[in-house]
Amino acid sequence: MNEASKPVAGTELDLEAMLAAAKPAAATSVEGQRCGVIAIVGKPNVGKSTLLNALVGQKISITSRKAQTTRHRITGIRTLNQTQYVFVDTPGFQTRHSTALNKSLNKTVMGAIGDVDLVLFVVEAGNFTLADAKVLSLLKPGIPALLVANKLDTVNRRAELAPWLKSMQERHPFNEFVPMSAKNKGDIERLFGICEKYLPEQPWFYAEDELTDRSEKFLASETVREKLFRFTGDELPYTSTVVIDKFDEEKSKNHGRMVRISATIVVERDGHKAMVIGDKGERLKRIGTEARQELEKLMDAKVFLELWVKVRSGWADDEARVRSFGYE
């Protein structure tokens, strides 16, 4: 920890001092390029995917109010000046159920934390739960970690954050505190400057204009799954998933690109299937329409999207089927 980032002792601990400390290092002349991998970790629903999208500058990780939305290791890439930031968004660490799906998600988290240059440990500003503590216990010694106190905009009495920040430093030797809101552009710019000094001088891993290592086929399945959760809310169990059956690009005289996608929404019960389809198929139609519109913007193409709904009872606790649906 550098001197500017150390907590102030005793009653003089002041939030404004901590905010001032969480700032980029002075600009230095760097020969060549910097590049490094930064893991974004935390319990479910603390805003990791929203943070990743803000850092990349484009939506590549789906978001919803439903916990456990993110299920894969998703890499977001942002190149600024001489530095390339390779962010890895991870599923929230699962502690409630030990299904095959959750074991797969936790394996993804563990793999992401172990081989990075920097960890962003994301918590809700002013809160710390047992689920947060479980994720914190996974951090590896020797890997720099920043405490990202997210959703600062929702905190009413910021003065109360100072003792909370002090207690967090007692839990783990964080290199720096970064109180912020992922929705604040200034906070995002500040976070880039803070992360930069922890990344090694080395050639970039990706081309300057790349934003993610994920395929359009993967992004299509995630986009449909996001709309599925958005239109079903808490009615539908989080174990529902989406499988892409066909993804074909075709030539078109009227459009620069044309993509035909066929996808299956997999649920565990007949009642869930009826819920997804809705009255006279209206809910499934809305899911498909919104997903298609978003994919057309994302891919810059004309998209034809066909959706099916199938029941696969117990798939989330079947290791073979979990793997067949694309989980590690």
Side-chain angles (χ1 to χ4, degrees):
M1 178 182 297
N2 58 47
E3 291 297 323
S5 301
K6 287 183 179 178
V8 182
T11 57
E12 296 180 1
L13 186 69
D14 179 74
L15 176 61
E16 296 307 317
M18 289 209 174
L19 288 168
K23 61 184 180 182
T28 58
S29 58
V30 177
E31 289 188 17
Q33 301 169 329
R34 285 184 182 270
C35 182
V37 181
I38 304 167
I40 303 174
V41 302
K43 71 179 182 182
N45 238 19
V46 292
K48 299 185 297 299
S49 296
T50 299
L51 177 59
L52 175 69
N53 292 336
L55 288 165
V56 173
Q58 181 173 312
K59 183 176 178 181
I60 62 170
S61 186
I62 68 173
T63 61
S64 81
R65 291 177 298 154
K66 186 184 287 290
Q68 301 149 321
T69 299
T70 300
R71 294 193 187 156
H72 302 268
R73 173 174 170 150
I74 299 173
T75 299
I77 306 154
R78 186 73 178 272
T79 304
L80 298 172
N81 301 318
Q82 287 289 90
T83 302
Q84 184 171 86
Y85 306 82
V86 182
F87 296 101
V88 179
D89 184 22
T90 60
F93 195 82
Q94 315 298 319
T95 58
R96 295 182 61 187
H97 308 290
S98 58
T99 62
L101 174 61
N102 281 358
K103 288 177 182 177
S104 169
L105 304 188
N106 288 350
K107 182 180 178 182
T108 300
V109 177
M110 296 290 288
I113 292 176
D115 188 24
V116 297
D117 298 290
L118 178 67
V119 172
L120 303 184
F121 177 68
V122 184
V123 292
E124 290 187 19
N127 291 316
F128 190 79
T129 67
L130 287 174
D132 292 310
K134 180 65 176 177
V135 181
L136 185 58
S137 70
L138 302 176
L139 300 193
K140 308 292 184 181
I143 298 178
L146 307 183
L147 172 65
V148 177
N150 194 29
K151 304 185 182 181
L152 187 65
D153 53 315
T154 65
V155 177
N156 294 323
R157 301 182 64 180
R158 296 194 179 188
E160 296 178 356
L161 276 184
W164 174 80
L165 286 170
K166 184 175 185 295
S167 71
M168 291 302 297
Q169 181 62 27
E170 292 170 352
R171 295 179 187 276
H172 185 85
F174 291 103
N175 292 71
E176 298 188 50
F177 300 129
V178 190
M180 63 173 292
S181 168
K183 298 177 181 179
N184 185 302
K185 185 177 180 181
D187 286 351
I188 293 297
E189 292 176 354
R190 181 164 54 92
L191 184 57
F192 276 118
I194 296 169
C195 292
E196 182 178 23
K197 58 196 174 189
Y198 294 96
L199 305 186
E201 290 187 35
Q202 61 182 342
W204 296 341
F205 299 157
Y206 300 94
E208 186 173 358
D209 59 350
E210 286 191 72
L211 298 178
T212 183
D213 65 345
R214 286 293 189 172
S215 67
E216 288 184 332
K217 181 178 178 180
F218 172 82
L219 294 175
S221 68
E222 290 289 272
T223 301
V224 174
R225 193 161 62 85
E226 180 185 58
K227 305 311 175 188
L228 171 67
F229 286 157
R230 183 160 297 172
F231 284 109
T232 56
D234 293 330
E235 299 174 75
L236 193 68
Y238 87 96
T239 48
S240 305
T241 196
V242 175
V243 178
I244 301 297
D245 303 307
K246 183 176 74 171
F247 188 99
D248 295 329
E249 187 164 346
E250 301 177 1
K251 293 181 180 181
S252 172
K253 294 182 180 180
N254 300 322
H255 308 283
R257 293 184 69 200
M258 188 169 73
V259 180
R260 291 189 183 276
I261 304 170
S262 179
T264 299
I265 296 172
V266 180
V267 296
E268 293 202 300
R269 297 179 183 175
D270 289 329
H272 299 158
K273 179 177 180 179
M275 185 190 307
V276 171
I277 294 173
D279 185 34
K280 298 179 181 178
E282 282 302 311
R283 180 174 281 173
L284 185 63
K285 184 178 179 180
R286 290 183 69 190
I287 292 169
T289 298
E290 292 225 355
R292 177 184 56 76
Q293 291 173 345
E294 186 162 315
L295 287 171
E296 287 183 334
K297 293 179 183 178
L298 185 67
M299 299 178 183
D300 191 22
K302 177 65 177 177
V303 174
F304 292 92
L305 176 63
E306 185 178 43
L307 295 181
W308 304 90
V309 186
K310 294 182 180 179
V311 178
R312 294 291 182 268
S313 300
W315 80 265
D317 206 19
D318 182 332
E319 289 187 14
R321 187 159 276 172
V322 166
R323 286 195 299 272
S324 74
F325 286 167
Y327 298 98
E328 298 176 1

